[in-house]
Amino acid sequence: MDFMLKYALAMHMPEGKRAGYYAQIVKALAERTSLFDRDKELLIFSSPEERSAAEPVMTQYAVPAEPIDLLLLPASLQARPTFTDFGFVSRLEQQPYLYADMAALFQLTRAPAASRSYEPASAAAQLDEHVLADWPAAFDPDGKDGAGDDYGRTIFAIEAQHDRLVEAIAEAYGCAVQWRYRPQPDPHAK
């Protein structure tokens, strides 16, 4: 697994409610849908439909909840110090996640018609300060199965706002960027 999209509800528990109140909510959820994972007041589901099935429970218990999309990453990732600014490792299942609206995932490939020599190690070194995490990829975008090139077999996670910077650095070193995931712009944003 390179990554998977997961669907969460961030609950905003009312002040002064006892732990038993949370347990009642979890029990009511179990009757309507199944949880994939959870972390504190963040409930994680495998599909948008499962998340939608949980919303009436939130209404029933008067718990405001905000939908959030997450990227489930493999446990083999190498997290950088800034990882926790854009994601977390769940307490329940010990799974690493990034917030899907804040992160982008890519692999470096050989640029098809680069005027510069192909230097993926230099590109990766230049990008390192912006990388949130990296891990071995199951998919080689060049189709060469990483022959002589460890960077095509690595997925890098960065802050989504650095996507153009990544492309410029890659181009400077004769590389192209194979985007594996990028958040879609909000069509309602002004």
Side-chain angles (χ1 to χ4, degrees), residues 20-35:
Y21 192 71
Y22 179 80
Q24 288 176 349
I25 293 170
V26 171
K27 183 179 177 190
L29 283 170
E31 295 171 2
R32 290 185 175 253
T33 189
S34 61
L35 284 175

Side-chain angles (χ1 to χ4, degrees), residues 71 98 100 102-106 156-160 163 179 181-183:
L71 298 171
L98 285 170
M102 298 173 69
L105 310 177
F106 69 94
F156 298 93
I158 56 150
E159 271 184 75
D163 59 347
W179 290 105
Y181 175 84
R182 285 166 91 175

Side-chain angles (χ1 to χ4, degrees), residues 53-116:
E55 290 171 353
V57 174
M58 300 297 112
T59 302
Q60 175 186 346
Y61 285 90
V63 175
E66 174 186 359
I68 297 174
D69 292 345
L70 300 171
L71 298 171
L72 171 63
L73 308 177
S76 63
L77 71 80
Q78 178 181 358
R80 301 307 202 299
T82 54
F83 178 84
T84 56
D85 294 341
F86 300 90
F88 61 95
V89 175
S90 67
R91 289 184 180 182
L92 183 64
E93 297 292 336
Q94 297 295 303
Q95 296 281 352
Y97 296 92
L98 285 170
Y99 297 105
D101 64 336
M102 298 173 69
L105 310 177
F106 69 94
Q107 290 174 261
L108 292 173
T109 64
R110 184 180 303 274
S115 59
R116 299 179 143 272

